[in-house]
Amino acid sequence: MSTSSIPTKPVKAFGAQAADAPLDQLNINRRAPHPHDVEIEILYCGVCHSDLHTARNEWHGTIYPCVPGHEIVGRVVSVGAHVKNFKVGDHAAVGCLVDSCRECDYCKDDLEQYCSTGHTQTYNAPDKHLGTPTYGGYSESIVVDEAFVLRVPENLDLAATAPLLCAGITTYSPLKHWKVGPGKKVGIVGLGGLGHMGVKIAKAMGAEVIVFTTSPSKVEDAKRLGADDVVLSKDEAQMQRYAGKLHFVLDAVSAQHDINAYLSQLRVDGALVLVGAPENPLPVAPFSLIPMRKTFAGSMIGGIAQTQEMLDFCGEHDIVSDIEMIRMQDINQAYERLLKGDVKYRFVIDMASLKQ
């Protein structure tokens, strides 16, 4: 079927028309649901730092107009004839991916995030159906193949669940892959949108959790979130407390920092995994790794099966994000506050405001 023959409908959205333009209201087209599609009325959408980077073309390659948003929770309003797992009225979620090749080795192993031919991101990616860019959750609705739609545990607050679709899975995936659990000492570097989810999830997995922060004001909050101890990373004496003792460190800092200071916290065969994305390279001293067989690695979100596993885990342990609700019309101010770290710990947009 040619893209021009696919029925579409206009929906309201918020997006950027250029890198230096503020986000503003615009109309986009959504496809009519195909037989395997689920149409979701978006109730809440989390605000990720990736949204800001992409809207402002800081990672380069942004296609305009750009409608960000990949932490989506909503209500199913229609389903295609072949949809099996969702019905009208169900709550559903969409994360960072809306498609992949589904045929490569990684896709067959439920690792769609590492798809060999390139997964389709929820926004700013080529839309296989319409021939336009994909548009994200800063909008009234979205249409997604059932295979990339997720179930929301009934006991979780819907708005506070939205950030789990990125911040939750970004931290859960490496914690699970490196087998964090009882008997493991785990460091979380940075107590922001990612870091605060890392604390909650690692603690629920049974680990002893140590938070590293540059901010004395975050010490009590880290303990409230579940940290067993907090280290002020600017204090050299405090940094010696766990030197050579941690099994795993999750580094959620996107600013420039001395990665060797945190590699020094690892014991033999320990691993430091980077989920933050600093703009410039982080110099690694070879002898931060070699003497104790340490690992320095990275990790990116999770596949669809693991994202559902994460949501179910959070349902079992009553884990959601700490959020501040905003109106869609306040997104530009929220971006400026995000740059200053002025949020505890995740903005979530009440999408009902888009209809006003």
Side-chain angles (χ1 to χ4, degrees), residues 172-287:
Y172 179 91
S173 187
L175 290 168
K176 184 69 183 293
H177 182 78
W178 272 271
K179 297 180 173 59
V180 164
K184 298 293 180 71
K185 292 182 184 291
V186 173
I188 305 292
V189 184
L191 196 66
L194 289 175
H196 95 287
M197 290 307 310
V199 172
K200 292 185 179 189
I201 292 171
K203 188 65 179 177
M205 288 177 167
E208 180 182 345
V209 179
I210 297 93
V211 167
F212 293 83
T213 180
T214 60
S215 304
S217 62
K218 290 187 176 181
V219 171
E220 289 307 313
D221 223 24
K223 293 179 179 178
R224 175 185 64 82
L225 292 165
D228 295 286
D229 197 7
V230 184
V231 172
L232 292 175
S233 54
K234 292 181 179 180
D235 186 323
E236 292 186 12
Q238 289 193 35
M239 286 294 285
Q240 291 302 310
R241 194 150 70 227
Y242 293 99
K245 296 180 180 178
L246 301 186
H247 296 87
F248 183 84
V249 171
L250 185 72
D251 188 334
V253 175
S254 291
Q256 294 303 117
H257 58 292
D258 180 9
I259 200 72
N260 299 287
Y262 300 103
L263 288 167
S264 72
Q265 305 298 305
L266 296 173
R267 55 179 290 149
V268 171
D269 288 332
L272 185 153
V273 177
L274 193 65
V275 292
E279 182 180 358
N280 297 308
L282 298 175
V284 176
F287 284 94

Side-chain angles (χ1 to χ4, degrees), residues 70-73 93-96 110 113 149-153 155-156 160-177 193-194 197-198 200-202 204-205 301-321 346:
H70 56 204
E71 298 178 346
I72 299 166
V73 172
V94 178
C96 303
D110 294 324
Q113 75 273 34
V149 179
L150 299 143
R151 299 181 306 278
V152 179
N155 62 305
L156 296 183
T161 294
L164 300 183
L165 278 304
C166 179
I169 186 58
T170 296
T171 49
Y172 179 91
S173 187
L175 290 168
K176 184 69 183 293
H177 182 78
L194 289 175
M197 290 307 310
K200 292 185 179 189
I201 292 171
M205 288 177 167
I301 58 172
I304 298 302
Q306 190 178 64
T307 304
Q308 186 62 62
E309 176 186 301
M310 176 275 304
L311 286 170
D312 294 340
F313 177 89
C314 288
E316 292 168 12
H317 295 275
D318 200 25
I319 295 172
V320 290
S321 184
R346 208 74 167 181

Side-chain angles (χ1 to χ4, degrees), residues 79-139:
V79 296
H82 296 165
V83 170
K84 297 178 180 178
N85 296 320
F86 295 91
K87 65 182 185 303
V88 172
D90 286 351
H91 288 134
V94 178
C96 303
L97 311 178
V98 292
D99 211 342
S100 69
C101 83
R102 313 192 200 192
E103 297 177 353
C104 70
D105 290 344
Y106 298 122
C107 286
K108 289 178 180 178
D109 284 341
D110 294 324
L111 296 170
E112 297 94 345
Q113 75 273 34
Y114 304 123
C115 176
S116 294
T117 60
H119 57 254
T120 301
Q121 296 182 344
T122 305
Y123 65 87
N124 198 52
D127 188 316
K128 295 180 180 179
H129 303 278
L130 299 180
T132 62
T134 53
Y135 299 122
Y138 295 8
S139 57

